[in-house]
């Protein structure tokens, strides 16, 4: 039965409530209706759960739950934390799952059983939602934690120097405050699922006896929900991606540009994938068949020889094209390949961490193999490699605008080395080899740390040079679809106006319609003195500070190494100059913005 066919007699709602509901549903597209349905179901479940929790309190008494805190940049740590919660509850254990951004640090002294799942990004830095807790633990306010039992699981990427540094920091600092290590920390690389499961089983085996011993009522399960209920999860995930059709691959930089940026449109028709502005899309790709043929030739391997990749049995050629990482270098490959081939030079290199970092920085795995040919069995070669990982791209569209599509803004990674042209794994595939109509395996990755304000009257400031414009294109589409009254201010930069003004026509349309209140552009190479977005921010510092004072949300997307740090410093300077604050007070001002989710970054 359709909602419009319901009568007041058949509904528990009043006539006025029913009319309002019918009016709202009439304004929503099918994706929005599905989201509202999931939200209402989650709210009802939460209310029911509160009643159950109230009944359980009498039997459980003052028993402490297994508190699971997560800090996640791309969603992996959150996924692991959720898995811990699910498996703990399956054992009848009381759990409390909390994003570190929503956790009150003072509550640490009340905990007895604590599990930390946290990722690391950049130069060993904590993810956005873990920053406040990470900082609190090294402050004088951190409490003594004698009697607390901790277990830490870290997620990272051995391609980076400070692998899982944040997890190491948490375990060390909690230990310094007196918390006992109940389960040794594990640091997981990008191919983490199997090891994560083993660690979770081990950790729950350790925690379960004490948790159950304190439960006088016999194992009531109380799940503590935090924050807004999420939309119903898609059946398509990182482990089970959707084979989507590639509709459009369009170059959007000029012929003479030093950059090659592509606008990508992918159809999600036939899937249940939903996303919000600020989310990312995971894209699996195929390695270059010509490069694969070259390494098979140099190693004298038969492309048809079968090998095992996990539970799969495929030809070595298929394994190398579809399943294994061959572009992004990492220390583990060099170490394993050196042992498998008996290469003494590579073995010596593997023992010098600094030299190894320098070596892999300028080489893809293809290069390592071609420069070090050897007699090696096909299976041994496969065992040296880690599984191919999807690349995450900030989504450049709103489903309110494009419905069953998703758009990306992808910069082609290309460079010359060792006499050959090199391309990034996924960007090279999308730009050079994938034809329109091809099937591309994708999944959506939610990012709750990069969200538009729920209040449509709130002003927003967006800083997105280069491909950092992507999520802000989604933001603007969404604000337009919502008829949001809040002001919008965009800072965009790139080398040249004539060659690199991404989405110029769309931005000009938004300016003309009034959706974009202000646009400030920084084309760095169009004049003798280079000008960047941080320079434009400083020029408009008085107005920027005024917007912050009236409640604006501030967003940054793009390069983490330089741009985001330069923008942060520009903000500090603006707050000092126009807010009359010193360095410490300016930092505290920004920390307060972060705590209120008004200063958000999507950086890489």
């Amino acid at each position: 039965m359709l909602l419009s066919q319901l009568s007041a007699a058949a509904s528990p709602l009043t006539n006025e409530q029913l009319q309002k509901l019918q009016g709202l549903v009439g304004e929503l597209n099918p994706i929005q209706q599905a989201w509202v349905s999931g939200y209402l179901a989650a709210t009802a479940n939460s209310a029911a759960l509160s009643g159950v929790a109230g009944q359980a309190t009498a039997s459980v008494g003052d028993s402490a739950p297994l508190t699971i805190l997560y800090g996640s940049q791309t969603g992996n740590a959150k996924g692991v934390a959720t898995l811990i919660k699910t498996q703990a509850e399956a054992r009848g254990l009381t759990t409390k799952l909390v994003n570190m951004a929503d956790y009150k640090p003072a509550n640490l002294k009340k905990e007895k059983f604590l599990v930390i799942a946290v990722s690391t990004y950049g130069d060993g830095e904590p993810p956005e939602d873990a920053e406040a807790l990470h900082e609190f633990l090294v402050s004088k306010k951190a409490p003594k934690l004698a009697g607390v039992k901790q277990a830490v699981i870290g997620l990272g990427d051995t391609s980076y120097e400070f692998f899982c540094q944040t997890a190491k920091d948490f375990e060390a600092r909690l230990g310094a405050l007196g918390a006992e290590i109940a389960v040794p920390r594990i640091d997981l690389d990008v191919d983490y699922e199997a090891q994560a499961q083993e660690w979770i089983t081990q950790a729950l085996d350790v925690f379960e006896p004490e948790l159950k011993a304190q439960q006088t009522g016999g194992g009531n399960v109380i799940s503590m929900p935090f924050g807004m209920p999420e939309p119903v999860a898609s059946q398509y995930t990182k482990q089970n991606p959707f084979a989507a059709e590639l509709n459009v691959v369009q170059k959007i930089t000029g012929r003479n540009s030093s950059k090659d940026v592509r606008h990508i449109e992918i159809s999600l028709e036939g899937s249940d994938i939903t996303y919000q502005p600020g989310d990312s899309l995971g894209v699996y790709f195929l390695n270059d068949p010509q490069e694969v043929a070259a390494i098979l030739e140099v190693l004298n391997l038969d492309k048809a020889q079968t090998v095992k990749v996990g539970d799969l049995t495929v030809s070595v050629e298929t394994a190398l094209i579809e399943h294994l990482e061959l572009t992004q270098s990492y220390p583990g490959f060099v170490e394993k390949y050196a042992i498998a081939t008996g290469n003494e030079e590579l073995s010596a290199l593997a023992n010098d961490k600094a030299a190894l970092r320098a070596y892999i920085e300028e080489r893809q795995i293809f290069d390592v193999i071609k420069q070090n040919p050897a007699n090696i069995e096909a299976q041994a070669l496969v065992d040296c490699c880690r599984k191919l990982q999807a690349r995450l791209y900030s989504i450049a569209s709103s489903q309110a605008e494009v419905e069953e599509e998703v758009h990306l803004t992808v910069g082609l990674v290309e460079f010359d080395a060792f006499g050959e042209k090199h391309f990034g794994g996924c960007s090279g595939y999308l730009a050079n080899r994938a034809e329109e109509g091809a099937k591309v395996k994708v999944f959506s990755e939610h990012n709750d740390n990069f969200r538009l304000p729920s209040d449509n009257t709130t002003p927003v400031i967006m800083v997105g040079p280069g491909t950092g414009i992507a999520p802000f294109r989604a933001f603007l589409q969404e604000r337009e679809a919502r008829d949001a009254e809040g002001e919008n201010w965009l800072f965009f930069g790139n080398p040249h106006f004539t060659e690199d003004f991404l989405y110029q026509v769309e931005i000009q349309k938004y300016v003309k319609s009034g959706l974009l209140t202000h646009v400030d552009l920084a084309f760095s190479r169009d004049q003798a003195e280079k000008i960047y977005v941080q320079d434009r921010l400083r020029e408009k510092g008085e107005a920027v500070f005024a917007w912050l004072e009236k409640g604006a949300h501030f967003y940054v997307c793009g390069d983490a190494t330089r741009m985001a740090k330069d923008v942060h410093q520009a903000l500090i300077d603006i707050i000092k100059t126009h807010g009359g604050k010193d360095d410490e007070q300016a930092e505290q001002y920004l920390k307060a913005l972060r705590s209120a989710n008004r200063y958000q970054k999507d950086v890489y």
Side-chain angles (χ1 to χ4, degrees):
M1 180 182 292
L2 297 174
L3 181 64
S4 59
Q5 297 173 319
L6 284 173
S7 66
S11 168
L13 305 178
T14 66
N15 279 329
E16 183 180 1
Q17 288 172 327
L18 189 59
Q19 288 173 2
K20 288 181 178 178
L21 182 59
Q22 289 171 335
L24 173 62
V25 172
E27 297 174 2
L28 304 179
N29 62 38
I31 291 170
Q32 292 170 324
Q33 290 177 15
W35 186 92
V36 170
S37 175
Y39 170 78
L40 292 175
T43 303
N45 288 339
S46 178
L49 188 58
S50 297
V52 173
Q55 297 171 12
T57 300
S59 58
V60 175
D62 295 328
S63 62
L66 178 65
T67 297
I68 308 160
L69 303 181
Y70 67 86
S72 189
Q73 194 71 22
T74 62
N76 289 338
K78 179 183 178 182
V80 168
T82 303
L83 190 61
I84 296 169
K85 171 184 180 290
T86 301
Q87 296 191 13
E89 291 182 350
R91 298 184 182 215
L93 305 180
T94 305
T95 66
K96 182 170 64 175
L97 175 66
V98 196
N99 184 328
M100 289 182 186
D102 299 325
Y103 185 75
K104 293 182 178 179
N107 286 342
L108 278 173
K109 60 180 179 290
K110 302 176 185 178
E111 305 292 357
K112 291 184 179 178
F113 309 100
L114 184 63
V115 175
I116 301 282
V118 68
S119 62
T120 297
Y121 89 104
D123 295 327
E125 298 163 11
E128 288 281 299
D129 49 9
E131 281 184 357
L133 184 60
H134 186 265
E135 184 174 324
F136 175 82
L137 289 174
V138 297
S139 72
K140 294 179 180 179
K141 295 181 180 180
K144 298 298 181 184
L145 298 179
V148 176
K149 294 193 173 182
Q150 63 150 318
V152 178
I153 181 169
L155 287 86
D157 184 341
T158 52
S159 301
Y160 295 92
E161 183 177 357
F162 299 101
F163 173 60
C164 284
Q165 185 61 49
T166 305
K168 296 171 185 175
D169 292 347
F170 270 105
E171 184 182 66
R173 189 55 189 161
L174 290 170
L177 294 170
E180 175 189 344
I181 297 176
V183 184
R185 187 192 76 251
I186 187 170
D187 300 328
L188 300 178
D189 203 354
V190 292
D191 186 13
Y192 62 85
E193 285 88 353
Q195 286 180 286
Q197 181 56 67
E198 291 176 8
W199 185 90
I200 291 170
T201 300
Q202 177 191 359
L204 293 179
D205 286 345
V206 171
F207 282 118
E208 182 175 4
E210 287 191 68
L211 279 162
K212 283 194 170 177
Q214 67 172 357
Q215 293 178 359
T216 58
N220 292 287
V221 176
I222 308 173
S223 177
M224 308 284 191
F226 285 81
M228 288 282 287
E230 293 187 356
V232 177
S234 169
Q235 64 178 304
Y236 296 107
T237 63
K238 180 180 181 180
Q239 292 75 32
N240 179 40
F242 174 68
E245 185 171 315
L246 185 62
N247 284 346
V248 173
V249 180
Q250 178 184 2
K251 187 177 180 183
I252 55 175
T253 44
R255 180 181 302 173
N256 299 316
S257 173
S258 60
K259 298 183 177 184
D260 185 336
V261 177
R262 305 298 175 102
H263 172 73
I264 309 287
E265 296 183 6
I266 297 172
S267 171
L268 298 178
E269 186 176 357
S271 77
D272 59 354
I273 294 176
T274 61
Y275 59 86
Q276 299 178 58
D279 288 343
S280 297
L281 191 77
V283 182
Y284 285 100
F285 59 96
L286 302 178
N287 287 312
D288 188 340
Q290 292 186 354
E291 289 289 346
V292 168
I295 62 173
L296 287 173
E297 182 178 358
V298 79
L299 296 176
N300 197 28
L301 291 174
D302 179 0
K303 66 179 183 180
Q305 187 173 349
T306 58
V307 293
K308 289 188 70 68
V309 182
D311 296 330
L312 291 175
T313 300
V314 294
S315 71
V316 66
E317 180 184 46
T318 299
L320 293 172
I321 292 175
E322 299 182 16
H323 301 289
L324 301 174
E325 182 62 68
L326 295 175
T327 49
Q328 188 180 58
S329 292
Y330 56 97
F333 175 79
V334 177
E335 293 165 358
K336 290 180 180 179
Y337 188 75
I339 294 171
T341 60
N343 188 314
E344 294 182 3
E345 190 174 323
L346 284 182
S347 294
L349 192 63
N351 291 325
D352 183 339
K353 300 303 180 185
L356 180 56
R357 288 278 168 201
Y359 178 80
I360 64 175
E361 187 174 351
E362 59 183 7
R363 289 171 173 80
Q364 294 182 329
I365 290 176
F366 287 120
D367 296 317
V368 177
I369 295 172
K370 287 190 286 187
Q371 293 171 16
N372 296 276
N375 291 321
I376 185 173
E377 295 294 331
Q379 186 64 55
L381 174 64
V382 168
D383 293 341
C384 290
C385 302
R386 68 185 183 191
K387 289 183 181 177
L388 185 147
Q389 297 296 309
R391 303 300 195 255
L392 290 177
Y393 294 101
S394 300
I395 291 174
S397 57
S398 163
Q399 273 190 303
E401 169 76 19
V402 303
E403 297 185 344
E404 291 188 310
E405 289 184 357
V406 61
H407 299 177
L408 306 175
T409 309
V410 178
L412 174 63
V413 176
E414 55 181 325
F415 60 96
D416 293 315
F418 314 112
E420 295 181 355
K421 178 73 75 174
H422 290 62
F423 296 97
C426 193
S427 65
Y429 170 69
L430 291 172
N432 298 335
R433 301 193 303 279
E435 297 180 354
E436 294 181 359
K439 294 294 185 180
V440 181
K441 294 180 180 179
V442 301
F443 60 94
S444 64
E445 192 74 75
H446 296 297
N447 182 3
D448 295 330
N449 301 315
F450 204 75
R451 288 281 182 257
L452 276 168
S454 56
D455 183 346
N456 288 330
T457 65
T458 302
V460 299
I461 301 172
M462 302 164 283
V463 182
T467 56
I469 189 70
F472 302 133
R473 181 176 185 264
F475 277 21
L476 290 168
Q477 288 183 359
E478 181 74 12
R479 295 276 270 189
E480 184 177 54
R482 291 185 191 176
D483 291 324
E485 298 174 3
E487 296 175 298
N488 303 292
W489 191 348
L490 175 67
F491 288 83
F492 172 74
N494 237 349
H496 297 286
F497 174 87
T498 56
E499 302 291 331
D500 306 305
F501 193 168
L502 308 182
Y503 302 115
Q504 178 181 357
V505 173
E506 293 181 20
I507 290 171
Q508 289 173 330
K509 181 194 75 172
Y510 288 139
V511 171
K512 186 176 181 179
S513 72
L515 180 71
L516 261 174
T517 315
H518 301 291
V519 176
D520 278 272
L521 304 171
F523 292 103
S524 58
R525 308 306 199 273
D526 278 351
Q527 58 286 309
E529 183 180 352
K530 294 178 182 178
I531 298 176
Y532 299 103
V533 287
Q534 58 268 24
D535 301 315
R536 296 301 189 205
L537 279 167
R538 286 191 178 90
E539 289 173 7
K540 300 298 174 69
E542 184 176 359
V544 168
F545 185 71
W547 276 47
L548 294 177
E549 285 289 277
K550 69 180 180 181
H553 286 215
F554 191 96
Y555 301 89
V556 184
C557 181
D559 171 54
T561 308
R562 289 173 296 179
M563 184 277 297
K565 292 179 180 178
D566 290 340
V567 166
H568 183 91
Q569 185 57 53
L571 276 178
I572 293 292
D573 296 341
I574 288 168
I575 294 163
K576 287 167 59 181
T577 302
H578 302 285
K581 303 181 186 300
D582 59 25
D583 285 319
E584 184 176 350
Q585 290 169 332
E587 285 286 2
Q588 288 301 321
Y589 187 97
L590 284 183
K591 286 175 184 175
L593 291 185
R594 275 203 299 268
S595 297
N597 293 321
R598 289 179 51 207
Y599 177 23
Q600 300 182 33
K601 293 182 284 188
D602 178 12
V603 295
Y604 36 84

